[in-house]
Each structure stands twice: as C-alpha cells, then as structure tokens.
Amino acid sequence: MVSVPAMPASSAAGAGEGNADPTGRLVPLPISLVPEPASSFVIGAHAAIAVSGGSAQQIGVDLADMLRPATGFALPVVTRSGSAGDITLGLAANDPTLGAEGYTLVVSHTGVRIEANQPAGLFDGIQTLRQLLSSQIQASSAQAGPWVVPGVRISDYPRYAYRGAMLDLARHFFPVATVEKYIDELAMYKINVLHLHLSDDQGWRLAVDGWPALTTVGSKTAVGGGSGGFYTTSDYTAIVKYAQAHFIAVVPEIDMPGHVGAALSSYASLNCDGVAPPINTTETVGHTSLCVGKPAVDQFLTAVVGELARLTPGPYIHIGGDEAASTSASDYAFFMTQAAQVVKADGKTPMGWEDFATAALPTGSIAQYWDFRNGGALARQAVAQGAQLVMSPADHTYLDQKYTPATSLGLQWAGTHEVQDAYNWDPATEVPGLAADVIGVEGPLWTETLTSLKDLQYMAWPRMAELAEVGWTPQVQRNWSTFAPRLAAQGPAWKLLGINYYASPLVPWPENAVG
Ligand code: NGO
C-alpha cells in the first residue's frame, strides 16, 4: 500500500479551484493514491464511456448523467473494452482486497480506467472521478472546460462496511423529493446506509396495512403543531429504490416502546387505560409507553415489523428502544426481547439504540451507540451478547447539534459541534476495548428545529462529509490539517449544486465557494 503524500503547504492556502494538486479535492481520502503528474487526461468532445456490459452499463449511464450537462459532450455509453480517449468501467478487478465497495482508478494520457469487483465499487469509483475534475463539472449547463483529469493511480476501499446517515421524518416530515435530494448528496461521499426515523411522539410517517389510524390520525402533526404527513407504501418503495440505485440501503426505524405518542393517539387499545391521548407536539422525550403485555400491543408489533420487513430489501430493521423512561425496566426488557425476536423471525437483523442492550439480543444484532454520557456501559453490554456496534456518539456525529452557540437552528444538549469536533475522533477507540465490534458510523439528523431542505442541508454539510471520511479512510491517514483544504474544495461544488452549508471560519473556503 502506498500512503498518500502530505499535502504541500501551498495547496492549503489555495484550496479548491486554485489548488495546485487536484487530488487535494478528494473526500473521503482514498486509502492509496499515487499522483502521476505526467499522465493527465483531457476528456474530449468525442470521448465515450466504455463498459463491459451487464451491471457496469448502469454505472456508465450514471457517469454520463453526471458529466453531460457541464461538458456539453454526448458521452455515449458503449459496450466495448475501451479504446484511446475513453473512460472505461469494468467489473473484472478480481482483487479480493477491494471487497464489494472498493475500486481502482487509473488515469493515463489516453484515458481513465475504473475497475471494481462489484457494481457498488464502480459507483464509488465514479464519485472519485467526479471529484478529480474541476468543480465546474457540477454546473447544470455547458461550461468551457477543458476537462482535465489529473494523472493518478488510486486503489481504494472503505475502512468500515456501514457508513450511514439518519433522517428524522417524525419531528418534521419531509416529502420523497427532499429525501431523494439528500440521497444524491450522500452518495457523492460514498455513504451506503440511510436510516429513516419513521415514528416518534409527534408523528407517525409510514402507512401500515391493517392499522389505518396510524396515518389518518398519527401522521397529522409535527413538533410545534405543524401539518405532518406520511409515506404511502409506494412513496416508501420509491425511496428504497432510489436509494438502491445509489448503492444506499434503507434502514427503517419504528421507535418503541417509548417515543410512541403518535401511535398511542391513533389507537386507544395500545394504552393501559384504554384512552387515546391527544398528540403532544412539544419536544419533551420519555413521556410515552406502549402498554407492554396487552394483546393489541403484540398485534401492533407483529404488524409493524412485518410491514417494514416486507417493504425493505436491506438486512436491518431498527426497533428504536431509546429513552423509554415511562416503561418499567422489566417491561422494557420483555418488550425489546420480543421485538428483536419478531424482527429475526421476519428474516431481518434487529438494530436498536444502545439502550436495548438491557434486553436479550439475538447474536449479530446491531446496537447504535449514541449517549456518550454513559461511558459506553450499554455498548459493552450489547457486545457481551454478541452484538455489533454502529457508532453515533452524540458529541461528534449528531448533525442536529449547533455548530456554535450562535447557530440559529439545532439543539445543544450534547454541546456545540464545530467542524473539528465532527472529524477529530476515532470510532475504534470511542468506547475503549470494543474496536473489533464496530461495523461503522452513522450521522443522525434529528429535526425538532428543522423544517426545510435548506435547514437539513445547513446542519448536515459539511459535517456529513467529514463523517464520510471518518467511516471510509484509515485513522492513520486522517488529520485535520490536511483534511481542511480538501473539505474546503467541496465548497464550490456545493455552491453550484445549490447545497446550503455552514461556511465555518475554521475551513479555508476558496472565494468561489461562499457568498
Ligand atoms: C436523542 C433522542 C432523540 C432526540 C435527539 C436530539 C436519541 C437516540 N434519542 O437521541 O429523541 O431527537 O437526542 O438530539
């Protein structure tokens, strides 16, 4: 493995468009990158995208869609082995070290060749190619060019298999188009999981067969009393398909046995006193519980998990389990044990917030570490049962936390998180002793205070790009001083793409990134 040369000090000053070293635009940083300055390639007006057929074809189309608007070139996708002037995509890497998501990308003066073992790797490779080009490639109309791809040999694969983002649709609801826009943005940074938080006290967001009031009643509002909304089966399926086309697996979450106010308001039978309370649209947590042990609650659990399992091709079903302060410890353990078994019986792997470690977990369950205040005790308890961990420490990964006390959006119960806090941590050592049990990272975007795509973007970017590198790039290759200019280089692309982001003063944004 060749390590990445440290970036020259001069490139830090002129990050982005003026960056002398265009490989200094890559986020996440590839595991192995050798610059070959004598071998740059210029994409010409007659270039073709040569694919080996089969599954490479679709990635070729994705690449053409990516490059056509700004280049104005035809860029036909052709099935051939690649000739001079082509961008060639192949699935014959035959390299076990690359795994399912790795790729090689080689630029010579006659073309670009990306090879992978699997389509997911090829998709990651075209994201890297996009970043190697000038950020003008993001423009929606033809630009002057030239479209220089700097000479480079890259061999790349992720540190962690699970690199996720979470979106809270319950506190405020967002339409399918907004979720798809977020998927577009996440895919640029090789994120491969989208966790959807589909229910909470203030709203229920997914139609469940046989339980119509969950949406006719439970979906009607939001934090602060807004209008709410929900996904029909076909809306949800559209999101899953869109995500799949971007090599992103959807993990649906129904939060239980607490955070269930919207469900309790929809069905009196889920309440111990048999009375459906009005929906409480404040931000308070921990005040609701399913009536554990009631037959209606068992039926609800089976129906909801069954629906999620039917609609979700991915391996995980998230059953929540956080902050169930209104459920007794014994009811909690009984219910979450049962819920995990129902998920298992439906052929899926149970995932839950780390709190569910107090239940009996099937081996291979996934616990999501979030509450840094408990010092990792629950994460240890989960691992002791054979669970694996996704790391979402609230003090580094919670995208809803304010950047500074002056940030108008967001919460700050976990402190304020400037850009360095999102980057300077190691998932392997966050809870000491559990490195081998960590399968990845996830950035939760809770939406108590967020009501529009612009709000979501402002809190997610740049921190989600930082987390993407935390999840992809080996720890030894990461440091803030070489990362900051690479992060800065994303700014012009975000501006062209209309992505609203926080232009932190700690990042050396180029002039064409801001204002
Ligand atoms: C906590 C809580 C959520 C809040 C979030 C706000 C978890 C796992 N439960 O995280 O209900 O929305 O904080 O930051």
Side-chain angles (χ1 to χ4, degrees):
M1 185 202 309
V2 184
S3 60
V4 176
M7 223 175 345
S10 60
S11 65
E17 298 312 278
N19 193 336
D21 171 13
T23 58
R25 299 186 187 125
L26 300 183
V27 174
L29 187 68
I31 192 163
S32 162
L33 179 156
V34 184
E36 300 203 331
S39 308
S40 65
F41 169 66
V42 179
I43 302 176
H46 301 292
I49 297 174
V51 299
S52 46
S55 332
Q57 172 77 23
Q58 183 54 47
I59 318 287
V61 172
D62 293 342
L63 179 61
D65 288 346
M66 209 183 254
L67 303 182
R68 278 175 188 150
T71 60
F73 300 160
L75 293 168
V77 180
V78 296
T79 306
R80 65 174 184 229
S81 58
S83 42
D86 286 352
I87 301 171
T88 306
L89 307 180
L91 282 168
N94 286 325
D95 180 352
T97 56
L98 297 177
E101 295 187 287
Y103 64 95
T104 57
L105 188 159
V106 178
V107 181
S108 69
H109 64 276
T110 56
V112 178
R113 172 175 289 273
I114 306 177
E115 288 284 349
N117 297 325
Q118 310 244 343
L122 219 40
F123 188 77
D124 288 333
I126 67 171
Q127 306 310 321
T128 301
L129 175 57
R130 160 158 57 183
Q131 289 185 357
L132 284 170
L133 290 159
S134 149
S135 59
Q136 287 299 312
I137 199 65
Q138 305 295 353
S140 53
S141 59
Q143 308 292 303
W147 303 102
V148 181
V149 188
V152 71
R153 299 182 77 84
I154 292 174
S155 176
D156 195 18
Y157 54 89
R159 177 182 186 190
Y160 289 116
Y162 186 117
R163 302 176 310 281
M166 189 210 85
L167 183 58
D168 172 8
L169 288 320
R171 271 51 177 276
H172 284 102
F173 180 70
F174 297 91
V176 173
T178 301
V179 180
E180 290 182 346
K181 185 78 175 57
Y182 196 37
I183 289 171
D184 290 342
E185 296 165 9
L186 295 168
M188 291 171 63
Y189 294 96
K190 305 183 173 80
I191 292 299
N192 66 358
V193 174
L194 178 63
H195 165 181
L196 300 177
H197 184 76
L198 292 167
S199 70
D200 214 299
D201 289 321
Q202 304 87 351
W204 184 281
R205 307 302 183 205
L206 179 69
V208 176
D209 194 30
W211 292 75
L214 291 173
T215 50
T216 57
V217 177
S219 78
K220 295 292 183 204
T221 190
V223 161
S227 60
F230 69 97
Y231 299 130
T232 61
T233 303
S234 71
D235 290 339
Y236 179 81
T237 304
I239 293 173
V240 167
K241 290 223 161 88
Y242 194 85
Q244 265 181 331
H246 292 76
F247 296 88
I248 291 177
V250 169
V251 175
E253 178 191 352
I254 293 296
D255 203 350
M256 304 175 282
H259 287 274
V260 287
L264 298 181
S265 303
S266 307
Y267 285 96
S269 58
L270 301 176
N271 295 270
C272 286
D273 61 4
V275 177
I279 295 189
N280 176 345
T281 60
T282 67
E283 291 174 22
T284 339
V285 296
H287 57 88
T288 58
S289 178
L290 293 169
C291 188
V292 175
K294 255 188 145 183
V297 169
D298 292 347
Q299 288 153 13
F300 167 83
L301 173 64
T302 313
V304 167
V305 171
E307 186 79 50
L308 296 180
R310 266 193 303 283
L311 297 180
T312 308
Y316 305 125
I317 301 291
H318 200 301
I319 48 180
D322 56 322
E323 302 172 317
S326 298
T327 315
S328 72
S330 60
D331 278 357
Y332 179 85
F334 174 84
F335 180 82
M336 291 309 280
T337 300
Q338 182 190 12
Q341 279 165 0
V342 174
V343 172
K344 201 74 191 139
D346 281 338
K348 300 290 183 182
T349 299
M351 180 162 178
W353 299 105
E354 57 178 328
D355 316 50
F356 86 157
T358 61
L361 302 180
T363 307
S365 297
I366 309 294
Q368 189 166 5
Y369 172 73
W370 65 279
D371 195 347
F372 59 98
R373 297 168 301 188
N374 74 36
L378 288 162
R380 287 201 181 79
Q381 209 173 331
V383 165
Q385 299 193 57
Q388 294 184 297
L389 300 173
V390 166
M391 303 304 283
S392 299
D395 51 346
H396 295 293
T397 70
Y398 267 35
L399 304 172
D400 66 318
Q401 302 296 298
K402 290 177 185 292
Y403 291 95
T404 74
T407 308
S408 60
L409 299 169
L411 306 177
Q412 54 181 325
W413 70 264
T416 52
H417 302 172
E418 246 297 356
V419 286
Q420 289 179 336
D421 303 308
Y423 191 75
N424 288 332
W425 67 287
D426 180 0
T429 56
E430 186 64 16
V431 181
L434 301 184
D437 307 292
V438 173
I439 62 163
V441 296
E442 189 175 288
L445 187 45
W446 301 100
T447 59
E448 284 93 334
T449 66
L450 313 178
T451 57
S452 65
L453 174 63
K454 291 271 169 241
D455 289 355
L456 298 178
Q457 290 174 326
Y458 186 78
M459 297 309 275
W461 308 106
R463 290 182 293 198
M464 198 55 222
E466 303 185 66
L467 185 63
E469 177 151 315
V470 172
W472 183 281
T473 307
Q475 192 70 16
V476 292
Q477 287 175 241
R478 295 206 296 113
N479 71 74
W480 173 259
S481 61
T482 55
F483 175 68
R486 286 186 290 109
L487 183 61
Q490 311 309 303
W494 291 343
K495 198 173 168 207
L496 283 167
L497 289 166
I499 298 175
N500 186 30
Y501 68 98
Y502 166 59
S504 168
L506 303 178
V507 177
W509 307 106
E511 263 172 36
N512 59 347
V514 283

